[in-house]
Amino acid sequence: MALYLVRHGRPILDKAVPASAWILDPEHEYLVEELAAQAPWPDDAVWYTSPEPKAARTAFLLAKREVPQVEDLREHDRGGSGWVPDFAGAVRGALTSPHAVARPGWEPIVRTRTRVVAAARKILAEHPGRDVVLVGHGTAWTLLAAELTGTEPDLERWGSLAMPDVIAVDAVTSPASTTADHHAY
């Protein structure tokens, strides 16, 4: 059994709306189609997605059908705090100080981790022995992969995730023996 954590495709960046409302950029949907052609997951995998538009559209393109949305798979809540000039630095700060509020309006990263891990564990428990594909977000998946592998969040991997991208986590039932591989597509 494996868990495939797919980061959404490239969105249209719109400084006037929160990132949680961004849509997938139609000009870059071909990258999602390329990932679909190289899919590392089996055809009978179980699918779920974050409700954010960029993730839901990525899931639709990959699965070639509507995919059930799970609210708690959404990205780190950044509270509509507006455009963050040093976004990477702010997220790195949040990841290294998980109990702190990295910026006004942001949820502490520990809350994101708790929410996403609980949602993923519930999905995995509902589908024992099945391969599962979750479509969502880089920060959320970095936190989930760390939890499932019993490691600290991998800041280098987070910084190198493409849009779209996949983190494959094997043997997710036993954190002590779990491994995660990052596949750039």
Side-chain angles (χ1 to χ4, degrees), residues 28-54:
H28 292 98
E29 285 186 357
Y30 74 93
L31 295 169
V32 178
E33 298 291 345
E34 288 175 2
L35 174 57
Q38 302 172 29
W41 49 80
D43 290 340
D44 66 344
V46 176
W47 287 78
Y48 290 92
T49 185
S50 158
E52 294 187 26
K54 58 191 171 277

Side-chain angles (χ1 to χ4, degrees), residues 51-132:
E52 294 187 26
K54 58 191 171 277
R57 178 70 179 157
T58 298
F60 178 83
L61 292 171
L62 292 172
K64 304 200 181 355
R65 62 178 169 80
E66 293 294 328
V67 173
Q69 297 180 7
V70 176
E71 180 65 25
D72 284 343
L73 294 179
R74 69 190 183 282
E75 180 61 299
H76 173 228
D77 184 353
R78 298 181 179 120
S81 59
W83 191 256
V84 178
D86 183 15
F87 176 74
V91 172
R92 286 180 191 280
L95 289 168
T96 57
S97 299
H99 294 279
V101 174
R103 291 186 52 86
W106 285 24
E107 76 179 329
I109 209 84
V110 70
R111 273 197 225 145
T112 307
R113 185 176 186 151
T114 300
R115 170 176 45 78
V116 171
V117 167
R121 288 198 189 282
K122 181 178 182 213
I123 290 167
L124 293 169
E126 291 172 352
H127 303 283
R130 298 285 305 274
D131 291 295
V132 175

